[in-house]
Amino acid sequence: MPNAPEAALSTPLLLSISAMAIAILLVLIIRIRLHPFFALVIVSIGTALATGIGVGNLIETLTGGFGQTLGNVAMLIGFGAVLGRIVAVSGGARVLSDTLIRICGRDRAPLGLSIAALLFCFPIFLDAAYVVMLPIIFAVARELKGSLLLYGLPVAGSALVMHALMPPHPGPVAAAVFLEADIGLVLFVGLLVGLPTWYVMGYRLAVWLANKTPFQSVPDVMGGEEDDGGPRPAFGTVLLVLLLPLVLIFMNTGISTLISAGTLPDDNALLDAFVVIGETPIALLISTCVAMWLLVFRRGLKEPMEAVNDIIEKALAPVCTIILITGAGGMFGGVLTASGIGNALAESLDAIGMPLILAGYLIASVIRIAQGSATVAGTTAAGIMAPAVLAEPALAGMPAACITTAIVAGAIGYSHVNDSGFWLVGRFLQVETRTMLRTWSVMSTGISLMAFALAWALFVLVT
């Protein structure tokens, strides 16, 4: 990627251009309602030209950031989407829910549903996961004669936490790529931060908010639970499929860490093989292939290969937009780096004494509040913060993973009427907008604040 322009602009001018670029980006997305992909590309071009990147270097600068991001992100998002759809279509989501509700008991059915959603939402995006879980939520609410929000809101809390903090979801993956944070460490920090955040804010707060809300009956609207016509898989099989990628990724991180520390040799072929298997794209590929075998081929379906190909086609089509938006966010971040805006921002933050982790959270939160998309907010904020973080060698490793988690925590909070997730959950549950603001919005804000607080506390411990 080209270096910063030779005739460097002053820091105040660079920061003014950066602020104007973000403002124009938000106007294009919010007021004009231009698709975020086009908005990010247009603003990236304008920012590059305004900061003095020459016409001869323009395309190289744009495609450099775009291609580098997609090279790291596209496979993770694609494999995660396919893995999630296999579990959904095979009936794995219902198996998880039924088993956990049976274990937890009828009185703790919300906890069982919330745990099921926590597991199921690891590889699948919030919108798709919630639609798949809806028929289960409706069935449980009807059977137990409880308020729909008592069962629907904890599931939404689980989906929010997983979508916000866990790879292979696009926000944390893209942020990790920009900050050069190890995906395994981001996943580790995400679990340390996410599990207590889920229990306190995604489950306990959700149940409390639901109990404070007037009784909500089950509507006639039904979600799109799909069934491939075969027998349902065993609970252990579903659990194996969902936990396998985590185990492989953690194996990679653990072995790599021990090799770096000198505890394990660095020229061992077997260890090298384990490290390769645990690389995030390879781990997700292996896990997806295992899911195909266990949840499709082993269940005696007619035309299993056609079923697999149909699952892949239907899983990949919806995520193309997310992949392009993520790539365009990488393009914007690349322009900010090449123009020198990132370094100017780093110097300014250092001058006022604002910690980088706090700055990342605040930037992501402001963008999230303004335009609604968690992916756009996390991607843009990470791109803005990347030069400042990468300029500090001491922030490599765990500190970078903590900053990544803090940024995506800001990107998932403060959900309101400009967030598609707000409307998806509200419309399917047939909940009034005022009630959604008092429940969903409060819950998402609580998740954001607690996740950030825990990420910052961990950051302080490791720096």
Side-chain angles (χ1 to χ4, degrees):
M1 186 178 295
N3 295 323
E6 291 184 8
L9 303 178
S10 66
T11 294
L13 183 55
L14 285 172
L15 294 179
S16 298
I17 292 173
S18 174
M20 186 176 298
I22 294 173
I24 293 172
L25 177 64
L26 297 178
V27 169
L28 289 175
I29 295 174
I30 299 169
R31 301 290 297 178
I32 301 178
R33 298 185 182 278
L34 182 63
H35 193 280
F37 172 67
F38 280 89
L40 282 163
V41 172
I42 291 170
V43 171
S44 296
I45 294 172
T47 304
L49 295 175
T51 54
I53 292 177
V55 174
N57 292 327
L58 178 62
I59 299 301
E60 184 183 352
T61 302
L62 297 175
T63 56
F66 186 82
Q68 183 179 3
T69 302
L70 289 189
N72 289 280
V73 170
M75 285 196 297
L76 306 188
I77 296 175
F79 289 142
V82 173
L83 177 60
R85 186 167 181 84
I86 291 172
V87 174
V89 172
S90 67
R94 182 173 284 276
V95 168
L96 280 174
S97 300
D98 290 348
T99 304
L100 290 170
I101 289 172
R102 186 169 62 251
I103 293 172
C104 295
R106 294 169 63 92
D107 292 341
R108 305 191 74 184
L111 177 61
L113 283 173
S114 190
I115 295 174
L118 201 67
L119 294 170
F120 178 60
C121 292
F122 166 68
I124 192 169
F125 302 142
L126 186 151
D127 292 3
Y130 203 77
V131 169
V132 170
M133 292 290 293
L134 271 173
I136 306 167
I137 296 169
F138 288 174
V140 171
R142 285 197 180 99
E143 180 182 348
L144 302 183
K145 297 180 173 58
S147 175
L148 182 59
L149 276 178
L150 183 60
Y151 308 101
L153 207 57
V155 170
S158 296
L160 272 173
V161 169
M162 298 305 287
H163 187 81
L165 304 178
M166 302 296 177
H169 291 280
V173 168
V177 169
F178 294 149
L179 303 183
E180 297 183 4
D182 180 85
I183 293 290
L185 290 177
V186 172
L187 186 57
F188 178 67
V189 173
L191 287 171
L192 287 180
V193 168
L195 290 178
T197 299
W198 155 72
Y199 184 75
V200 175
M201 296 296 180
Y203 168 64
R204 300 296 300 182
L205 177 62
V207 169
W208 184 81
L209 291 170
N211 286 328
K212 292 293 183 179
T213 305
F215 186 91
Q216 181 75 29
S217 60
V218 180
D220 293 331
V221 180
M222 283 300 294
E225 183 185 27
E226 300 185 50
D227 193 338
D228 59 12
R232 290 182 184 171
F235 174 75
T237 302
V238 179
L239 203 60
L240 169 65
V241 167
L242 293 177
L243 295 182
L244 180 58
L246 278 75
V247 173
L248 294 178
I249 292 170
F250 282 149
M251 178 183 68
N252 167 280
T253 301
I255 293 176
S256 299
T257 301
L258 291 174
I259 290 175
S260 299
T263 306
L264 294 176
D266 60 358
D267 56 352
N268 186 287
L270 181 60
L271 292 178
D272 290 342
F274 284 142
V275 169
V276 171
I277 290 172
E279 291 286 352
T280 306
I282 305 299
L284 283 170
L285 172 61
I286 292 171
S287 302
T288 304
C289 291
V290 170
M292 290 177 185
W293 175 251
L294 293 177
L295 301 181
V296 181
F297 286 94
R298 288 287 301 273
R299 292 171 57 239
L301 298 178
K302 295 180 179 180
E303 306 290 348
M305 186 54 70
E306 289 188 13
V308 165
N309 288 333
D310 181 65
I311 287 171
I312 293 173
E313 289 288 339
K314 292 182 178 178
L316 293 181
V319 302
C320 288
T321 297
I322 294 174
I323 291 173
L324 286 174
I325 290 174
T326 304
M331 178 189 296
F332 186 43
V335 168
L336 294 179
T337 300
S339 65
I341 288 177
N343 290 330
L345 177 63
E347 293 171 2
S348 299
L349 292 174
D350 184 63
I352 64 176
M354 179 180 290
L356 291 179
I357 191 170
L358 176 59
Y361 175 81
L362 292 177
I363 291 171
S365 298
V366 168
I367 297 174
R368 162 68 161 175
I369 293 169
Q371 55 79 48
S373 170
T375 300
V376 173
T379 301
T380 305
I384 292 171
M385 294 301 302
V389 174
L390 298 179
E392 294 288 342
L395 297 180
M398 277 291 286
C402 293
I403 296 174
T404 299
T405 301
I407 288 174
V408 293
I412 202 64
Y414 314 100
S415 173
H416 60 99
V417 294
N418 63 359
D419 177 19
S420 62
F422 177 96
W423 293 109
L424 179 135
V425 173
R427 292 305 89 198
F428 271 119
L429 297 183
Q430 297 290 286
V431 176
E432 293 181 352
T433 301
R434 182 181 301 178
T435 301
M436 284 294 291
L437 290 170
R438 292 175 176 174
T439 54
W440 165 274
S441 297
V442 172
M443 182 180 67
S444 74
T445 302
I447 288 172
S448 174
L449 290 171
M450 182 170 176
F452 170 64
L454 292 177
W456 196 353
L458 187 59
F459 177 80
V460 171
L461 288 176
V462 299
T463 55

